[in-house]
Amino acid sequence: MTKDTLFLWLFRVFALNQRRDYVLKPLGVTTAFLAMYSAVMLLILRQPLASLPGLVLTAGLVQLPFTALAFTMLTYMNRMQIHLAELAMTDVLTGLPNRRAFVAQAGRAQAGGHAGFMLIIDADHFKRINDTYGHAVGDRCLQAIAKRLNDVRRPEDLIGRIGGEEFGAYLPYCTMQEIDQLGKKLCNAILINLPDLPVPLRLTMSVGAAETRPDEMIEAALSRADEALYAAKAGGRARLIVWTRSAALDVA
């Protein structure tokens, strides 16, 4: 048994993750310990049956603090492990899945036969915003984009920040009509109020979209969506373009 396997087994036995675990797991571990202790006393050490209740009571009282300590420590370690795993898969600034988590989630959905559309969303003139107003304002813009994505997404859609000012969205079972509607919502300008400006900062986004296919890797759809995004940037920005085999189709 490897070290990782041992810890997974300990977490499974001792970590208290659900409300019922606080009763069932301590009861089960204590019962198993006392049963083994009783068997040792009777079969190996040949203790008289009449003395067994007192021995079991003493053993139970002795092991109680050690059992409580084991449950407490391993529950804490398990929660820390889960928290660190979530941090490793989450973009801290926006709270969205990072590129690694987003690609993994979209890949699992596509592998399950959930064909749809892959989108790459990019903030227009983001470097200019950072250079003019500073990185703090740039961070507010990224958070505003994340909020816009959360506001327009369907419950089944997957979204994430895939790097810099680029965001990804995977839309299973999505039609061209729905892409058209989503494109209009995404490409509408976001107004960000800044205390030093008399008028709000106007932030727009360009979006590239590509249809996914169940028989390919999700990275292939990302690559096609990136081509469509490049076409959206070249075509004037603040628009959504869908990749096709013949030509990029300007939708919004």
Side-chain angles (χ1 to χ4, degrees):
M1 179 181 292
T2 65
K3 182 174 65 175
D4 291 342
T5 304
L6 175 61
F7 272 105
L8 288 175
W9 180 82
L10 289 172
F11 289 151
R12 189 162 55 247
V13 173
F14 287 96
L16 306 175
N17 298 317
Q18 301 180 26
R19 185 174 300 177
R20 64 183 183 183
D21 291 344
Y22 285 83
V23 176
L24 296 180
K25 287 189 175 182
L27 182 61
V29 169
T30 300
T31 300
F33 170 79
L34 293 179
M36 289 188 293
Y37 179 80
S38 300
V40 170
M41 290 296 103
L42 290 174
L43 301 177
I44 298 177
L45 300 181
R46 304 292 183 180
Q47 295 292 326
L49 185 60
S51 64
L52 187 61
L55 293 172
V56 169
L57 178 60
T58 302
L61 292 175
V62 169
Q63 65 91 32
L64 185 61
F66 296 101
T67 301
L69 180 62
F71 276 111
T72 301
M73 290 182 61
L74 287 165
T75 297
Y76 175 77
M77 291 173 63
N78 186 50
R79 290 177 180 173
M80 284 296 297
Q81 183 189 50
I82 293 172
H83 178 63
L84 291 173
E86 290 175 348
L87 286 178
M89 303 294 278
T90 302
D91 173 60
V92 177
L93 179 65
T94 62
L96 297 179
N98 59 22
R99 182 184 183 93
R100 178 183 175 188
F102 171 74
V103 171
Q105 292 170 1
R108 287 194 296 270
Q110 187 191 31
H114 299 167
F117 280 87
M118 175 65 71
L119 274 60
I120 297 183
I121 303 101
D122 186 87
D124 292 330
H125 304 297
F126 188 73
K127 185 178 185 302
R128 183 189 303 173
I129 292 173
N130 265 339
D131 293 343
T132 304
Y133 303 105
H135 290 280
V137 173
D139 288 348
R140 286 188 59 183
C141 291
L142 295 176
Q143 291 169 337
I145 294 173
K147 183 179 184 303
R148 170 65 63 85
L149 287 171
N150 272 313
D151 288 343
V152 304
R153 67 182 292 187
R154 303 171 303 172
E156 63 270 27
D157 294 339
L158 303 173
I159 59 176
R161 183 183 176 193
I162 58 177
E165 67 272 23
E166 283 192 348
F167 294 76
Y170 178 69
L171 286 61
Y173 306 120
C174 188
T175 64
M176 281 297 298
Q177 183 179 3
E178 290 173 313
I179 285 289
D180 181 32
Q181 295 170 352
L182 180 66
K184 289 181 171 61
K185 294 176 182 177
L186 286 175
C187 295
N188 284 336
I190 302 174
L191 301 180
I192 300 174
N193 293 309
L194 299 177
D196 298 333
L197 292 182
V199 295
L201 175 65
R202 189 173 182 272
L203 174 68
T204 63
M205 293 179 287
S206 299
V207 185
E211 193 170 6
T212 65
R213 294 190 289 270
D215 59 342
E216 68 179 5
M217 300 293 289
I218 200 68
E219 286 81 0
L222 275 168
S223 178
R224 293 196 300 272
D226 194 53
E227 289 184 30
L229 174 64
Y230 181 81
K233 293 283 189 181
R237 305 177 189 268
R239 65 189 61 205
L240 180 146
I241 287 184
V242 178
W243 186 95
T244 63
R245 288 190 177 277
S246 56
L249 175 64
D250 192 342
V251 176

